[in-house]
Amino acid sequence: MFRFLPVVLLASMTMSASAVAGNAGTADQHGGIDYRGPTLLSNPTRVVIANSAEVHSRPTTLSQVLTTLAKGTKVPVKEITATGWAHVDVNGADGYIDAAELQ
């Protein structure tokens, strides 16, 4: 019975790695995977309500900051992820802002 245990563990590790590599979900700010999907918006334009909002290259605070938007800046939002990131279009480039910083 114990001869098969390493094979089962190896198979489960391989499946987990392939799910991550295949981008089965979106990464949250802590690097986890969220399988709940995005929220579609009825009003795609939002306004920055924080003093400033960093636009990240990926939906995580660990990713590169592409630019910083000032309070009052209007930004088109494509979607809001289940983990609270707004997928935005800033000057033709995709980025992510913490949705709590938008209204």
Side-chain angles (χ1 to χ4, degrees):
M1 178 172 161
F2 291 108
R3 289 185 283 172
F4 300 107
L5 183 60
V7 173
V8 172
L9 289 175
L10 181 60
S12 67
M13 289 171 48
T14 304
M15 289 182 352
S16 297
S18 65
V20 171
N23 296 327
T26 55
D28 68 12
Q29 70 183 29
H30 304 291
I33 300 298
D34 175 20
Y35 293 95
R36 293 175 288 181
T39 301
L40 299 178
L41 302 174
S42 59
N43 178 13
T45 302
R46 300 289 172 98
V47 178
V48 176
I49 59 171
N51 288 332
S52 64
E54 293 180 334
V55 180
H56 294 268
S57 60
R58 303 199 63 200
T60 173
T61 56
L62 301 176
S63 66
Q64 176 186 7
V65 175
L66 302 174
T67 189
T68 302
L69 301 177
K71 184 175 186 173
T73 304
K74 292 183 180 181
V75 62
V77 177
K78 297 179 178 183
E79 65 187 8
I80 296 181
T81 68
T83 56
W85 285 92
H87 183 190
V88 298
D89 180 356
V90 179
N91 299 327
D94 280 340
Y96 294 87
I97 299 175
D98 183 347
E101 297 177 336
L102 302 174
Q103 182 178 24

